[in-house]
Amino acid sequence: MVDGLARPAAMFDRDFEWSELSRFVGHPGQEPALGIVSGRRRQGKTFLLDAVCRATGGFYFAGTEATAAESLRQFGVALGRFTDQPVPYRFHRWDEAVDALMAVGAGRAAPVPVVLDEFPYLVRPAPELPSLLQRALGPQGRQAGVAPVRLLLCGSALSFMGGLLAGTAPLRGRASLELVVPTLDFRLAAEFWGIADPRLATMVNAVVGGTPAYAREFTLGDAPTSMADFGPWVVRNVLNPGRPLFREARFLLAEEPALRDTALYHGVLSAVAEGNHTRGGIANYVGRRSTDLGHALTVLEDAGLLARDPDAFHGRRSTYRIVEPILTFYHAVMRPEWSDLERPGQAAGVWDRSAETFRSRVLGPHFEHLCRTWARWYAAPETLGGQRTRVASGTVTDAAARTGHEVDVVVFGRTPAGGEALLALGEAKWNETMGLTHLRRLEHLRTLLRARSEPDADPPRLFCFSGAGFAADLRARALADPGVQLVDLDRLYAGS
């Protein structure tokens, strides 16, 4: 039980989300309440909300791509069935439908959960719907003797759902819950896929990330059984034109209503997947001026497909990375080979000649991101040398050598006086055994940065992250010096 609501036996993780939903629908107040639930497609939002309605006797309705008249007809049938009407409701306008919806608590003693899933589909042909709901949620919408509704609006179009409560939007200030259902992080994803080998788990995560549906509906539970099975698994599930993962990356863009010029957005994502992480590099790749890309980059960020990461040492600089691993894999490996991949029987050959691209463009950058995730959420304060406040990557300027050095992991914390302190520097190598040469590079960077630090500040700790292991000399150094930390795959997935 979580907050009095029985948790479904089939639910994996989602403790926080279930607890928040339980609190929201169980609120005993007599006023109607609004909750917004969003998140990328296939994260389990519908499963969560359907489970809430089943556990509470609530009303669930999922919108479809339809005209306003069709949506009203479908809604009337569903609401009539829920309220045991002998014939379906016949609504001519959404204000009639909303009035009937807010009255579903007639004769009930407790608040009634009401879920409108795929809400963007309902609003597209009826843009007045948010305003009608605003009115219904206000004092004028309350009805004597009717239990209040706990209205949950759900959708996967992140830019649209975020805009429901932004600026001058009608529903701004009305919501009592704003819940984003995230993808599973790399540790939870490995558990969900049932993969115990951390190296294999990392490689699978670099392709499909932590989207639950990819492990169940999209692959029917087909997970690679060993490292030797990884390539065949990619061929039979991701590069196979008969499987849904084959076109998933294209559908992710097509499902976002704000992404109208899909050719440009695919171009931007391809640029990032090819290693162009700065705005200027992306502009050169797609053949546009840097100043012309502002809107496209913002839209991709709002849609949750692209993230802008500020440089750890230069606040005005930033780099872009693709948030969804399946998009990186598609643009780095699949899109350049699309004509061959569409022909059955060509996938194995494409995979064989794409091995180096996968390692350098997909797996390497993804491993660096997992290392930053570990430092941000799993590394203990004793490991880092303090309580972290932010983790980033960055470039250290070497004025004497007239060059810059990239740092994969930079961890900051707070000083006793409230300022910011540099806690740790880290380098990540996926397929390279790390030795003292790598440590000396970090020591050099630490020396360059010491000139900017407070004189009495503790020197930042040095972290070596490797997917291939560490040389004996580096292991010996780490045993003798707690300021040097080695993080292999076992520690990444199970240690702190």
Side-chain angles (χ1 to χ4, degrees), residues 3-28:
D3 289 347
L5 201 58
R7 176 188 171 89
M11 184 177 294
F12 176 84
D13 190 58
R14 304 305 191 198
D15 294 334
F16 172 77
E17 291 81 3
W18 186 252
S19 176
E20 288 300 304
L21 288 169
S22 299
R23 180 195 64 84
F24 175 77
V25 301
H27 174 58

Side-chain angles (χ1 to χ4, degrees), residues 203 207 227-236 238-239 329 333-334 337 340-341 346-359 362-363:
M203 296 174 72
V207 178
M227 286 296 301
D229 188 42
F230 175 74
W233 173 82
V234 171
V235 169
R236 66 180 180 261
V238 188
L239 303 182
F329 185 84
V333 175
M334 298 177 67
E337 302 275 3
D340 279 4
L341 286 173
Q346 301 301 308
V350 169
W351 178 244
D352 286 343
R353 62 178 178 261
S354 301
E356 178 55 35
T357 298
F358 175 68
R359 282 192 294 268
V362 179
L363 197 47

